[in-house]
Amino acid sequence: NAGVTQTPKFRVLKTGQSMTLLCAQDMNHEYMYWYRQDPGMGLRLIHYSVGEGTTAKGEVPDGYNVSRLKKQNFLLGLESAAPSQTSVYFCAGAAIGGTEAFFGQGTRLTVV
Amino acid sequence: AQTVTQSQPEMSVQEAETVTLSCTYDTSESDYYLFWYKQPPSRQMILVIRQEAYKQQNATENRFSVNFQKAAKSFSLKISDSQLGDAAMYFCAYRSAPNSGYALNFGKGTSLLVTP
């Protein structure tokens, strides 16, 4: 039972490069979320999805895109990475009617 | 969006003692959930305790308990008999309404240091 799995766990990018973070869940979660965590800022919501084929903006969506083509996967894309996107990224999932969000182990991204 | 405020960036407690972490929130909703998450150095987000707003009884999980004051919009976490393994960052979180996908709104966190 893998739960919520993020790939990769670490990544270093150069400014202007693009990349995709993958979040995969095997818990049949309807809702999925991408957060970023910065020192002294807590976790802030980037984008979320309430079901397959749906996405919506969170608190800090600029510079990111997402897709939910399959229920079990939620992808976070950076088209042109900037140093301000250096952060730890967390994916989470939750079930309809559920009260708990389950988090992945996080991805530490450094943009130089 | 609902605002969650943790006013203590850092707290320290001696092993076996009790510590209380503070959290306040702002909402116009009457039914909602509140959570405390623990984040140890491993970075994993671990659910410590949850509280349903319509339940007047404060939630308890072993050494962890909350003081939920709905009218004051206050949700503090009490850790009894503190252990070295309790050292971590603690986040208070509010679960948003369905139209925001039930996303969690987090406070900025409180770093808890446990001294021998």
Side-chain angles (χ1 to χ4, degrees):
Chain A
N1 187 0
V4 179
T5 303
Q6 293 180 226
T7 308
K9 293 183 176 57
F10 302 93
R11 184 73 186 268
V12 179
L13 281 182
K14 293 183 178 180
T15 298
Q17 286 185 320
S18 63
M19 78 162 294
T20 300
L21 280 66
L22 170 63
C23 178
Q25 54 98 358
D26 60 4
M27 304 177 76
N28 202 35
H29 289 157
E30 202 67 33
Y31 303 117
M32 296 188 75
Y33 314 91
W34 276 107
Y35 293 89
R36 61 176 288 173
Q37 181 181 13
D38 302 293
M41 296 298 293
L43 280 74
R44 294 180 292 170
L45 183 67
I46 305 172
H47 286 280
Y48 65 96
S49 168
V50 299
E52 181 179 311
T54 75
T55 62
K57 294 180 179 180
E59 180 185 355
V60 288
D62 293 343
Y64 305 96
N65 57 75
V66 288
S67 64
R68 184 105 181 264
L69 299 179
K70 293 183 179 180
K71 183 177 182 178
Q72 62 267 36
N73 295 336
F74 194 30
L75 279 63
L76 178 70
L78 287 73
E79 290 186 349
S80 180
S84 61
Q85 294 177 304
T86 292
S87 188
V88 177
Y89 292 85
F90 284 96
C91 175
I96 292 178
T99 59
E100 181 177 354
F102 294 84
F103 284 81
Q105 71 274 43
T107 297
R108 179 174 293 280
L109 174 66
T110 302
V111 183
V112 298
Chain B
Q2 287 76 13
T3 303
V4 178
T5 302
Q6 293 179 249
S7 59
Q8 306 152 318
E10 294 179 349
M11 291 284 285
S12 181
V13 63
Q14 278 194 316
E15 210 174 354
E17 296 296 312
T18 296
V19 65
T20 298
L21 309 184
S22 301
C23 174
T24 59
Y25 59 94
D26 184 27
T27 185
S28 58
E29 298 172 337
S30 58
D31 192 17
Y32 48 87
Y33 285 84
L34 295 162
F35 304 85
W36 279 98
Y37 278 86
K38 172 184 178 181
Q39 186 182 46
S42 67
R43 207 166 63 197
Q44 184 64 38
M45 294 291 287
I46 302 167
L47 178 64
V48 175
I49 200 165
R50 83 192 81 191
Q51 175 77 43
E52 300 171 73
Y54 68 88
K55 287 189 176 180
Q56 294 186 342
Q57 186 173 8
N58 290 325
T60 299
E61 290 287 344
N62 300 314
R63 297 182 295 107
F64 298 87
S65 62
V66 299
N67 183 5
F68 174 50
Q69 301 290 327
K70 190 173 184 180
K73 297 179 183 176
S74 172
F75 183 59
S76 60
L77 174 70
K78 185 171 81 171
I79 305 174
S80 303
D81 186 26
S82 296
Q83 300 176 358
L84 293 177
D86 294 334
M89 183 71 80
Y90 286 83
F91 291 100
C92 178
Y94 176 105
R95 194 182 78 162
S96 67
N99 61 358
S100 295
Y102 292 117
L104 294 173
N105 297 309
F106 288 89
K108 294 183 177 181
T110 297
S111 179
L112 179 65
L113 174 67
V114 182
T115 57

